[in-house]
Amino acid sequence: MEIIHTEREFLGSRIVAGAQWIGKDLLVTLAGGIRPHIGSVILAVPRPSLKNPSTTSSTSSVLNRPGHLDERPGRVLADKLAAALGCN
């Protein structure tokens, strides 16, 4: 399993992104910041769009630690990747 890895500076903190295919599913991790931690875990599943069934959208489920702000950017990324790539 090949792992794709990249690092960037964001607002003075190092952010590390990784992606790895696990069968037909894509595992993506974002880590870093001032105090690296797990704030959210998000599973996005592709599905036909409710507005236009000929296009692909996604549905996502989130486990979010109380008080963490990771959910919104993580959900946006997970939903876009699931819809664009057609994978979980």
Side-chain angles (χ1 to χ4, degrees):
M1 289 184 259
E2 181 184 358
I3 298 173
I4 300 166
H5 173 109
T6 188
E7 296 181 24
R8 296 285 187 271
E9 183 92 7
F10 181 73
L11 299 176
S13 295
R14 185 177 70 118
I15 304 296
V16 179
Q20 177 179 358
W21 287 103
I22 300 176
K24 294 180 180 181
D25 299 326
L26 183 64
L27 172 66
V28 176
T29 58
L30 295 174
I34 297 167
R35 292 186 333 235
H37 62 280
I38 296 173
S40 292
V41 177
I42 302 152
L43 172 64
V45 179
R47 61 162 172 74
S49 170
L50 299 176
K51 292 181 181 178
N52 180 358
S54 66
T55 63
T56 302
S57 187
S58 69
T59 296
S60 54
S61 297
V62 177
L63 292 173
N64 197 56
R65 286 176 59 192
H68 283 72
L69 303 175
D70 308 74
E71 177 182 354
R72 183 165 181 191
R75 181 176 282 215
V76 169
L77 176 63
D79 283 333
K80 285 183 178 183
L81 287 171
L85 299 174
C87 65
N88 300 312

